[in-house]
Amino acid sequence: MSNFEQFYYDFYQCNYTIDDQEGYNSYGSNENLCGSRKSQTGEQLPASAFIPSEMLLSSQSYTGQILQPMYSPDTLSHLSYADGFDEEPPLLEELGINFEHIWQKTLTVLNPMKPTDGSIMNETDLTGPVVFCLALGGTLLLTGKVHFGYVYGMSAIGCLAMHALLNLMSVPGVSHGCVASVLGYCLLPMVILSSTAVVFSLQGILGISLALFIIGWCSLSASKIFTSALAMDGQQLLIAYPCALLYGLFALLTVF
């Protein structure tokens, strides 16, 4: 019995025997290897001992310069995400703010006889409507009328009513955002009427005539956009009537 087995029996006092002589030999060889490594204090370990295998380059020779390492195709694949920032859309486009579409919709409202692009009008763009609602409330404020709550309240109720009506009349249907966008953009002529009320009073024949003209302008633009976006040919007058009722409420706030 070797000294190691005798020490093992004396220390643990058990009947366990080591049968795996190969494992024992490998253990001894590893022990000798560790002892030989300890004895070689002047030698350094190879640099690749602490570097993972996947981080090592292939057998190709290094051809780069100092501080400019040569990357393998596998390494470059991990860095490809840096080029993705150049392909991202602008921040305003991600937020749904497209100034070109806003300008085209505004021109369509100002010119009801202009052909309407249904693909652009069938969008849930609320940037223009919010601006026009604020402009309407601001111009009413200049005349001494604090009607912001009435403007937003009637706008919300009118959008819900028009959404229900258009879904009953059209086959494809329409979303709440599209209805709010169209009705909000067509509020621009009403802003012109409220701006006129800042200069002179509209409580007269001329003012009422101008208000009726603005109501017809708003309802004509809105009905044309709805028929173009929802393919509702021959139903423009049916849509223009409820739109005229809605914009008539805004005209009453402006005139009186």
Side-chain angles (χ1 to χ4, degrees):
M1 183 182 297
S2 63
N3 295 332
F4 177 75
E5 293 179 350
Q6 184 64 33
F7 174 76
Y8 184 87
Y9 284 120
D10 293 340
F11 185 79
Y12 289 100
Q13 296 181 2
C14 64
N15 295 325
Y16 178 78
T17 59
I18 300 176
D19 296 332
D20 191 0
Q21 298 296 332
E22 182 179 358
Y24 169 71
N25 294 332
S26 63
Y27 175 79
S29 61
N30 291 333
E31 185 178 5
N32 294 332
L33 180 60
C34 294
S36 62
R37 287 184 177 179
K38 291 180 181 179
S39 61
Q40 296 176 357
T41 57
E43 298 181 359
Q44 294 182 353
L45 293 175
S48 61
F50 299 97
I51 301 176
S53 58
E54 60 269 10
M55 298 293 293
L56 293 177
L57 298 175
S58 61
S59 59
Q60 299 177 355
S61 60
Y62 178 78
T63 58
Q65 300 177 0
I66 298 177
L67 300 180
Q68 295 181 357
M70 181 184 63
Y71 295 99
S72 62
D74 297 335
T75 308
L76 292 176
S77 62
H78 297 287
L79 301 178
S80 60
Y81 68 92
D83 299 334
F85 292 102
D86 299 335
E87 300 177 358
E88 291 186 356
L91 179 60
L92 293 178
E93 187 175 349
E94 290 184 353
L95 296 176
I97 301 175
N98 193 333
F99 290 104
E100 183 179 357
H101 288 184
I102 293 174
W103 178 248
Q104 292 181 2
K105 292 178 182 179
T106 304
L107 292 180
T108 304
V109 173
L110 293 177
N111 186 11
M113 303 303 173
K114 179 182 177 181
T116 305
D117 189 358
S119 61
I120 296 179
M121 293 301 172
N122 197 9
E123 293 179 354
T124 58
D125 176 24
L126 299 179
T127 304
V130 171
V131 173
F132 295 153
C133 286
L134 290 175
L136 179 60
T139 51
L140 290 176
L141 185 62
L142 294 177
T143 60
K145 302 175 183 179
V146 186
H147 292 332
F148 285 97
Y150 290 104
V151 171
Y152 291 124
M154 289 190 301
S155 299
I157 296 174
C159 290
L160 293 176
M162 287 298 300
H163 176 263
L165 180 62
L166 291 174
N167 281 330
L168 292 175
M169 296 177 62
S170 62
V171 176
V174 66
S175 62
H176 290 88
C178 180
V179 174
S181 178
V182 173
L183 293 179
Y185 273 103
C186 294
L187 197 64
L188 178 59
M190 197 62 60
V191 177
I192 299 175
L193 179 65
S194 62
S195 301
T196 307
V198 178
V199 180
F200 58 91
S201 177
L202 298 177
Q203 296 182 6
I205 298 178
L206 183 61
I208 294 175
S209 301
L210 181 60
L212 292 176
F213 173 75
I214 294 297
I215 292 173
W217 188 357
C218 294
S219 59
L220 179 62
S221 299
S223 60
K224 182 181 180 182
I225 293 174
F226 281 130
T227 54
S228 167
L230 301 177
M232 300 173 62
D233 298 334
Q235 301 180 8
Q236 184 174 357
L237 293 178
L238 296 176
I239 301 174
Y241 176 70
C243 291
L245 294 178
L246 175 62
Y247 292 114
L249 297 176
F250 291 106
L252 290 176
L253 288 178
T254 304
V255 175
F256 302 101

